Amino acid sequence: MTEVVTAADADLTTWFAAYRLYTGYAGLLDEQRLDDWLELFTEDCLFRVVSRENEQRGLALALMRCEGVAGLRDRVHAIREVSVYAPRTMRHLVSGLQVTAGPQPGTYRATASFAVLQSLESEHTTLFAAGSYTDVLVRQGEALRFAEKTAVYDGSLVVNSMVFPL
């Protein structure tokens, strides 16, 4: 069985670095500071947003898939310059962070639950998506970065269109 590193365990430094990464991730997306958000990923990262059904069946189809920071940068460009959408505020809530040893030395697996709320002008705030993150983290200097970030949303659909990453 893989040992889980939590705030109560000996490796508090690693868990806290992961906590800072996840809270930074949520905050930067909420504030739409997408250029700063890109800095949370390794250059050759993999980013996916996939339904629970597709993930459980091992199907490759993802609602969003970006390979490397270059792919994420293209997505940011599309959000800013190409996509047409109603103005919205997103709020990412993250909880239940767990960190374990990763697939290679010096890497970590991290999981957490998420809920993303959406507020459109003149409308009530709604639950946009809920699910779990399953990620691979690597240390770069004093900080951790996402080498793989997968947001698995629970339902088979998301409310209207997905503009911003989960």
Side-chain angles (χ1 to χ4, degrees):
M1 179 175 183
T2 305
E3 180 183 346
V4 174
V5 179
T6 66
D9 291 324
D11 194 356
L12 183 59
T13 303
T14 299
W15 184 89
F16 187 68
Y19 176 79
R20 290 186 64 191
L21 178 63
Y22 279 77
T23 57
Y25 177 92
L28 292 171
L29 284 176
D30 290 350
E31 296 168 14
Q32 297 182 14
R33 293 176 44 202
L34 300 177
D35 291 324
D36 295 331
W37 175 76
L38 294 172
E39 296 177 18
L40 302 180
F41 297 88
T42 62
E43 200 61 38
D44 60 346
C45 68
L46 174 61
F47 180 90
R48 298 183 317 131
V49 175
V50 61
S51 71
R52 181 160 310 285
E53 178 183 10
N54 284 358
E55 186 73 358
Q56 288 174 340
R57 292 182 176 186
L59 301 175
L61 182 62
L63 186 58
M64 183 185 293
R65 180 184 171 99
C66 300
E67 295 182 18
V69 170
L72 289 171
R73 193 171 286 114
D74 284 348
R75 180 66 187 185
V76 168
H77 175 75
I79 291 168
R80 289 185 176 147
E81 307 294 333
V82 179
S83 299
V84 177
Y85 57 91
R88 65 198 66 212
T89 301
M90 307 299 284
R91 193 69 54 210
H92 293 70
L93 308 174
V94 180
S95 69
L97 176 64
Q98 295 187 357
V99 180
T100 60
Q104 273 87 42
T107 66
Y108 304 92
R109 287 204 184 278
T111 60
S113 296
F114 69 82
V116 180
L117 305 171
Q118 177 176 259
S119 299
L120 297 169
E121 288 184 22
S122 302
E123 293 187 24
H124 293 290
T125 299
T126 59
L127 177 64
F128 181 75
S132 61
Y133 293 126
T134 56
D135 306 324
V136 175
L137 314 178
V138 298
R139 189 169 297 282
Q140 289 187 336
E142 294 297 312
L144 292 175
R145 298 285 179 256
F146 293 108
E148 294 179 22
K149 177 117 191 101
T150 302
V152 180
Y153 56 94
D154 290 333
S156 57
L157 303 171
V158 294
V159 177
N160 58 45
S161 62
M162 187 172 74
V163 177
F164 296 98
L166 294 179

